[in-house]
């Protein structure tokens, strides 16, 4: 088993990575006999993985409740969090209870948010089952809900006590979801690690086929990169963590405009990163060859490099103005300056942004 630690002082926690972890009692060691837990999952993941977790916890003497939510990005809402609160209150869960997020990033974001608020904060464990959640969303403690006016606009910073990554769960993940996760893998290479980007280029076919050795290395490396950033900038205050948002300002515009869940998060991020790369190229920050390498790698990963047909450049701007990073009509964007290096650039001219988006329309 591979074990990493997210180093955050008294809030530090382990990330455990291996195949077939879910029936190992050691992995749930923070939980003790007699304690309460609530597994939060969705109807499609419940029948695949909840039973094995439940029976392992019961053998440890842990009390297990579960709540099965509807599946989809459109359910990452305050109303659904309230369903979790109601279930916890009905069963009288104490402040010592632990929520267990079993699923992809949607379940992780919802559960983390609920854990950060229920009785002013209870513990939670992440058991991410999608590629995207294993390499990104389960680590770092960002919780989020969508609002009709903007994606991820409501949220908290709240760290889990443990992240448990069972690689076997990828076997049941639909391929479109798997490819969506690859977008965030490529993102790490672009913002932080030139050698990793080259490694992805070389191994993309093995990654696409979920080759066990390759995907294990890939997940571990992404977790390491993210853990390092979180340790340096837990709450996105000193300029490091913000780099992880590369392409997200554009991508969130796509997700919000089309309706949550129509384009997958990684798909929107893929097109969004290309828009960011084009913006960088237009202001003379990134060279054309690097943009082409980025575009080609997304294409090889079966990811979109253009926005959806029905969106015009002005549709993006309407959403981007509401983005958390945009202030008073000035576009503040994470942009790559070369492959392996990115920065946060402020006050970018609206015309340039429009031009970049226009170059990425179908
Ligand atoms: N908190 C963060 O730091 C952060 C970072 C990146 C993304 N996110 C959020 O994560 C979400 C996207 O996450 P996602 O891509 O995991 O989407 P998701 O949670 O919707 O999961 C994708 C789909 O795959 C299914 N699924 C998941 N694991 C499965 C498995 N093992 N077998 C079969 N089906 C499985 C889910 O039921 C769902 O239908 C977005 O809401 C995004 O905003 C959060
Ligand atoms: Zn993302």
């Amino acid at each position: 088993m591979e074990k990493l630690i997210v180093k955050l002082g008294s809030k530090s926690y382990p990330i455990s990575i291996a195949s077939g972890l879910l029936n190992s009692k050691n992995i749930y060691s923070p939980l003790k006999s007699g304690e309460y837990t609530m597994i939060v999952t969705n109807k499609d993941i419940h029948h695949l993985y909840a039973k094995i977790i439940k029976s392992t916890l019961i053998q440890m003497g842990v009390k297990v409740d579960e709540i099965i939510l509807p599946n989809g990005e459109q359910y990452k809402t305050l109303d659904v969090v309230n369903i979790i609160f109601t279930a916890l209150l009905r069963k009288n869960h104490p402040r010592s209870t632990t929520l267990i997020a079993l699923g992809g990033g949607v379940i992780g974001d919802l559960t983390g948010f609920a854990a950060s608020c229920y009785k002013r904060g209870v513990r939670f464990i992440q058991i991410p089952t999608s590629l995207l959640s294993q390499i990104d969303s389960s680590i770092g403690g960002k919780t989020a809900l969508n609002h009709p006016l903007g994606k991820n606009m409501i949220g908290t910073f709240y760290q889990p006590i443990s992240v448990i990554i069972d690689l076997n769960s990828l076997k049941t993940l639909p391929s479109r979801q798997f490819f969506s996760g690859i977008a965030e893998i490529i993102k790490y290479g672009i913002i932080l690690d030139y050698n990793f980007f080259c490694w992805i280029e070389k191994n993309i076919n093995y990654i696409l086929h979920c080759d066990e050795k390759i995907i294990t290395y890939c997940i571990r490396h992404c977790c390491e990169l993210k853990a390092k950033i979180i340790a340096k900038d837990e709450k996105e205050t000193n300029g490091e963590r913000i780099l992880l948002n590369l392409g997200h300002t554009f991508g969130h515009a796509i997700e919000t405009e089309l309706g949550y869940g129509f384009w997958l998060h990684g798909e929107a991020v893929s097109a969004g990163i290309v828009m960011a790369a084009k913006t960088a190229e237009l202001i003379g920050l990134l060279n054309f060859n690097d943009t082409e390498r980025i575009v080609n790698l997304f294409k090889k990963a079966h990811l979109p490099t253009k926005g959806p047909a029905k969106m015009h450049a002005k549709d993006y701007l309407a959403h981007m103005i509401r983005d958390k990073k945009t202030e008073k009509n000035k576009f503040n964007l994470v942009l790559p300056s070369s492959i392996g290096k990115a920065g946060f650039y402020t006050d970018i001219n609206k015309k340039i942004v429009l031009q970049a988006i226009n170059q990425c329309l179908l």
Side-chain angles (χ1 to χ4, degrees), residues 42 71 73 76 105-106 109 129-130 137 142 151 169 172 177:
N42 73 32
N71 179 7
E73 181 73 38
K76 208 173 88 173
V106 168
D109 281 8
T129 57
S130 67
S137 63
K142 264 194 188 177
K151 164 131 175 117
S169 63
T172 57
Q177 299 291 348

Side-chain angles (χ1 to χ4, degrees), residues 116-304:
S116 72
C117 299
Y118 181 70
K119 299 200 170 171
R120 300 204 178 85
V122 296
R123 301 185 301 176
F124 89 110
I125 293 175
Q126 289 272 20
I127 306 187
T129 57
S130 67
L131 180 61
L132 187 143
S133 57
Q134 294 183 347
I135 55 113
D136 191 356
S137 63
S138 64
I139 305 155
K142 264 194 188 177
T143 82
L145 305 177
N146 299 329
H147 187 280
L149 293 181
K151 164 131 175 117
N152 289 348
M153 282 292 154
I154 319 291
T156 52
F157 283 102
Y158 197 69
Q159 301 295 338
I161 57 166
S162 177
V163 179
I164 301 169
I165 300 177
D166 188 338
L167 299 166
N168 280 349
S169 63
L170 295 177
K171 291 181 184 153
T172 57
L173 187 68
S175 49
R176 187 178 164 203
Q177 299 291 348
F178 186 80
F179 300 152
S180 167
I182 297 175
E184 305 266 20
I185 293 177
I186 296 173
K187 179 191 77 179
Y188 285 113
I190 299 170
I191 58 175
L192 294 170
D193 191 339
Y194 176 74
N195 291 335
F196 185 50
F197 186 91
C198 298
W199 180 89
I200 303 168
E201 282 183 323
K202 201 167 140 221
N203 290 290
I204 187 67
N205 286 330
Y206 294 103
I207 297 173
L208 290 172
H209 289 100
C210 201
D211 174 276
E212 195 175 330
K213 233 167 121 188
I214 293 287
I215 206 72
T216 306
Y217 169 76
C218 194
I219 291 174
R220 188 201 153 96
H221 192 69
C222 292
C223 289
E224 262 167 3
L225 290 171
K226 182 140 186 193
K228 262 191 214 156
I229 288 211
I230 303 307
K232 285 195 250 170
D233 183 15
E234 185 194 354
K235 297 198 172 158
E236 211 167 286
T237 45
N238 71 13
E240 295 246 7
R241 186 169 186 167
I242 203 165
L243 302 182
L244 294 168
N245 294 319
L246 175 69
H248 282 60
T249 306
F250 299 96
H252 287 168
I254 297 174
E255 291 182 84
T256 309
E257 175 72 19
L258 295 188
Y260 300 122
F262 197 68
W263 267 38
L264 302 182
H265 179 67
E267 293 168 345
V269 165
S270 169
I273 290 178
V274 175
M275 290 174 190
K278 291 275 180 203
T279 308
E281 200 188 306
L282 287 171
I283 60 172
L285 197 63
L286 186 71
N287 71 49
F288 174 77
N289 287 345
D290 281 351
T291 312
E292 283 302 286
R293 274 178 82 179
I294 291 169
V295 169
N296 286 336
L297 190 50
F298 282 128
K299 279 187 182 159
K300 282 191 187 143
H302 307 303
L303 287 160

Side-chain angles (χ1 to χ4, degrees), residues 32-46:
K32 298 198 174 54
S33 176
E35 286 183 349
Y36 283 73
T37 60
M38 169 81 80
I39 298 174
V40 183
T41 188
N42 73 32
K43 60 181 175 49
D44 297 319
I45 295 166
H46 176 259

